[in-house]
Amino acid sequence: MIALFAAVSLAVAAPELPRLPEIRRDPQITYVDRSGVVLGVRGGRFAPPMDVARLPAYVPAAFVAIEDRRFYQHNGVDALGIARAVVNNVAEGRLAEGASTITQQLARNLFLSSDRTVERKAKEIAYALQLEQAYSKRQILGLYLSRVYFGSGAYGLEAAARRYYDKPAARLTLMEAATLAGVLKSPTNYNPAEKPEAAAQRARLVLDAMVETGAITAADRAKALSRPARALRAAPALPAQYFVDWVDGQTRQIVGKPKQDLVVETTLDLSMEQAGAEAARATLAARKSQGIEQAALVAVDGQGRVRAMVGGLDYAASPYNRAVLARRQAGSAWKPFVYLTALEAGWRPEDLVLDEPFAVGAWSPQNYTQTYSGLVTFEQAVAQSLNTVAARLADETGRDAVAATARRLGVVSPINTEPAMALGTTLVSPLEMAQAYAAFSTGGQKVSAYGIERIRTGGGAVLYQKKSAAPQQVVANPALGDLNRMLRGVIASGTGTRAAIPGYDLAGKTGTTSDYKDAWFAGYTGGLAAVVWMGRDDGSAMRGVTGGAAPAEMWRSFMGKALKRAGARPIPPGPPPPVADPPPADVIDTLLDAAPAGAAAEPAPAAPF
């Protein structure tokens, strides 16, 4: 206590108080979904100062009662509090009670180290006096509550409320507020997740102090004690963190290093995102015996907005975003690019193709069933995902042409043109596959996937606004309509029947790579495409997992909820095929002049039945 009096004397008697430093805080970027729901925060450790007026009155009162009950009466240093601490410490024969006010604690937190010296204490007191002159009590308390440490990595009351109770600070109960106020004395010893009994005992002291200061009544205290605060043992799993990481990198490319707090409005639909994450967890839980380690999902709407992005099963355990960063063989999910190229070259769904052993040099593809069907229609070959037919078509139409088709639709990864490319040996990400399939959901218009709609300052100034691109038709009819027809058949009667959802217009394609290392389902409806991938991070084989099984089931589970959320509509047919212009009049006259005299007119063909 002698040192404390010395520090007070030094601070007050100093001819010039040390100048109050600037309060520094690294800016934060807050990401929100398309409805304004907060998805996550990136950037500085500390949040902006809390607006205590928006909290229930008992929340700030809990901290004042236990930390500095004369907070609203003193000018930054509490002389009566110091005297009371001296008396109590002498009575206890030890340092049982401190005398730092909330303002002093804030000064120490903002500007100073924790060194126990007279000089440091003098500066703390001097800064506290100046803080009281520069800011209102409400502002000081708001700053304090945004800075203090609550253990378990939670800095500030808002972070603590979400860490321990999975709710915003404005929704804390009286008992929860008392528990968090009690943590500050020792975030280790009173951590409500790790030491709930000690935390509860400390919360009782806080409630007692609140009754003594008149912040609550004895009845309020009794009611609070009847409703214990149950803290989460582990931090709640935050949704959409794979997506937030993805758009955070883009945000910093757009704005550089933030100089102020920013809000990024994204394309994500949190409800759809949660549906995707739940579909992944439930599907893999039901198939534990098959050795599936990870799953990813991306959903893109017709405007290119990423509505859901699941980069793995557990972000806390593995933040690696498989939806964006993983490049895996696409398997038969690649075949629509082969089929589309053939359709654009003149093939039709009803044309006959030959399913039989076929070789290109030393390479010879085999069907999944290792059997051959002979003559089948083009449409049947697609529905049954016959490898020999896809390989033959790619060889006949040209693998370079297939690569150009995939590139035109939105595949950005390097594309190999070896014979096996027809069967999906190119390494691609779920994001680019969803981007490519989305073109089929729009009537053949190109889709460029994106996640950021707008970046603005906390004050509302817009720094970036996504601009709409002019429509670009990349698939025309009749090829588009024929492909949609064939990919509908995959779900209706082919390898993708487990993806079917009665009453909806759906199309898609399964994908399975050799040795069961990767399994895919890529599908779409009007205005929405979604791609599912499953596999193992080390590239080892799963146990018999095909695209038409677990991935199709996960896709169906997700789409069953997403279709209701997004508003289902049929797959658009796309623009009609171009009509050839009639020859110019002078050409017709020339042809008539060249006709033999007396030539009979060609009879009109009979109308088909």
Side-chain angles (χ1 to χ4, degrees):
M1 285 293 107
I2 296 176
L4 176 59
F5 280 118
V8 172
S9 302
L10 181 62
V12 174
E16 289 188 12
L17 294 177
R19 185 176 180 181
L20 190 67
E22 178 185 357
I23 298 176
R24 296 184 179 275
R25 184 179 67 84
D26 291 335
Q28 290 186 331
I29 305 175
T30 300
Y31 292 90
V32 299
D33 87 333
R34 63 197 308 266
S35 300
V37 178
V38 174
L39 299 174
V41 178
R42 297 291 187 270
R45 171 184 293 173
F46 303 113
M50 296 203 71
D51 184 352
V52 296
R54 296 191 175 187
L55 298 172
Y58 55 74
V59 174
F63 290 88
V64 170
I66 197 65
E67 289 292 320
D68 184 6
R69 63 178 58 191
R70 282 180 36 80
F71 173 69
Y72 292 104
Q73 285 77 49
H74 63 64
N75 65 346
V77 179
D78 184 8
L80 290 179
I82 293 173
R84 184 181 66 250
V86 170
V87 171
N88 291 340
N89 290 335
V90 170
E92 292 284 338
R94 60 187 178 89
L95 187 61
E97 182 177 334
S100 290
T101 64
I102 282 177
T103 314
Q104 287 176 255
Q105 294 178 51
L106 177 62
R108 184 166 63 246
N109 190 302
L110 289 173
F111 310 124
L112 301 168
S113 69
S114 298
D115 295 339
R116 292 178 174 272
T117 65
V118 172
E119 290 76 16
R120 197 274 297 163
K121 193 67 177 181
K123 282 187 176 182
E124 173 190 303
I125 293 169
Y127 289 150
L129 295 172
Q130 293 181 75
L131 283 170
E132 291 277 347
Q133 294 175 355
Y135 300 97
S136 68
K137 290 289 186 178
R138 179 183 293 178
Q139 289 174 318
I140 290 171
L141 191 55
L143 263 171
Y144 172 79
L145 291 177
S146 71
R147 293 272 178 158
V148 285
Y149 183 57
F150 289 87
S152 297
Y155 287 86
L157 179 61
E158 187 67 35
R162 295 185 182 277
R163 161 58 186 89
Y164 295 117
Y165 303 114
D166 196 20
K167 63 173 64 173
R171 290 174 48 205
L172 288 170
T173 67
L174 173 56
M175 192 63 186
E176 289 166 348
T179 302
L180 292 180
V183 170
L184 298 187
K185 181 178 179 65
S186 175
T188 299
N189 294 325
Y190 299 116
N191 186 305
E194 298 175 2
K195 298 184 178 180
E197 293 183 1
Q201 291 177 357
R202 176 70 178 166
R204 286 175 175 269
L205 295 179
V206 175
L207 292 173
D208 291 343
M210 294 180 74
V211 173
E212 291 172 8
T213 58
I216 61 172
T217 66
D220 293 329
R221 176 185 180 278
K223 186 177 180 180
L225 289 172
S226 70
R227 299 176 181 178
R230 303 188 185 282
L232 300 174
R233 281 287 298 169
L238 297 176
Q241 295 310 293
Y242 292 107
F243 175 81
V244 173
D245 282 352
W246 179 57
V247 292
D248 186 56
Q250 298 171 40
T251 298
R252 294 170 192 281
Q253 289 179 351
I254 294 170
V255 302
K257 185 177 181 180
K259 296 180 175 59
Q260 57 185 314
D261 290 332
L262 301 177
V263 177
V264 178
E265 300 171 13
T266 75
T267 61
L268 196 87
D269 186 308
L270 185 56
S271 294
M272 290 173 66
E273 166 76 15
Q274 291 172 326
E278 176 55 33
R281 288 191 293 268
T283 305
L284 268 63
R287 291 179 171 269
K288 289 182 179 179
S289 63
Q290 291 190 280
I292 308 172
E293 183 181 83
Q294 286 292 348
L297 177 146
V298 179
V300 178
D301 71 13
Q303 286 70 50
R305 297 175 294 214
V306 174
R307 301 289 290 274
M309 177 181 285
V310 179
L313 292 184
D314 186 343
Y315 177 85
S318 175
Y320 177 69
N321 190 344
R322 296 154 189 86
V324 175
L325 302 175
R327 298 294 196 276
R328 306 294 288 250
Q329 290 189 358
S332 294
W334 181 268
K335 288 178 181 175
F337 309 141
V338 178
Y339 304 143
L340 179 57
T341 306
L343 290 168
E344 291 176 338
W347 286 82
R348 292 294 175 263
E350 59 273 12
D351 288 344
L352 293 175
V353 290
L354 191 59
D355 175 26
E356 65 177 6
F358 168 74
V360 181
W363 179 71
S364 179
Q366 291 186 340
N367 292 327
Y368 175 73
T369 61
Q370 297 187 347
T371 61
Y372 304 94
S373 303
L375 281 175
V376 295
T377 66
F378 193 46
E379 187 168 12
Q380 289 171 331
V382 173
Q384 299 306 317
S385 198
L386 299 178
N387 290 338
T388 60
V389 173
R392 189 187 300 273
L393 285 170
D395 193 53
E396 291 181 5
T397 58
R399 290 183 292 277
D400 287 335
V402 174
T405 298
R407 187 75 70 213
R408 177 180 10 129
L409 290 172
V411 173
V412 297
S413 293
I415 300 174
N416 77 69
T417 54
E418 298 174 354
M421 73 91 75
L423 308 186
T425 57
T426 292
L427 303 178
V428 290
S429 71
L431 176 62
E432 59 189 313
M433 288 294 283
Q435 177 173 262
Y437 270 73
F440 306 144
S441 79
T442 63
Q445 292 185 355
K446 185 175 179 63
V447 172
S448 298
Y450 70 96
I452 298 175
E453 293 282 12
R454 185 179 297 106
I455 302 174
R456 57 180 171 82
T457 66
V462 177
L463 305 182
Y464 167 83
Q465 174 72 54
K466 172 69 177 177
K467 295 180 180 178
S468 299
Q472 180 184 355
Q473 197 73 30
V474 291
V475 188
N477 276 310
L480 174 63
D482 289 343
L483 182 69
N484 285 335
R485 166 184 159 182
M486 294 190 298
L487 295 184
R488 284 187 179 104
V490 171
I491 292 180
S493 59
T495 59
T497 55
R498 295 189 187 185
I501 305 175
Y504 293 101
D505 186 13
L506 305 174
K509 186 70 188 73
T510 57
T512 309
T513 62
S514 60
D515 298 326
Y516 303 107
K517 293 180 179 178
D518 300 278
W520 299 73
F521 189 86
Y524 57 97
T525 186
L528 183 67
V531 170
V532 168
W533 166 88
M534 290 183 182
R536 297 174 65 87
D537 285 339
D538 62 3
S540 60
M542 298 175 287
R543 290 185 280 278
V545 180
T546 65
E553 292 168 0
M554 176 176 158
W555 189 89
R556 182 188 63 207
S557 176
F558 165 74
M559 287 294 282
K561 297 177 181 178
L563 288 167
K564 297 174 183 178
R565 177 76 177 176
R569 55 190 175 91
I571 298 169
V579 178
D581 295 330
D586 56 344
V587 174
I588 295 176
D589 292 341
T590 300
L591 293 174
L592 290 174
D593 291 341
E602 182 77 10
F609 292 98

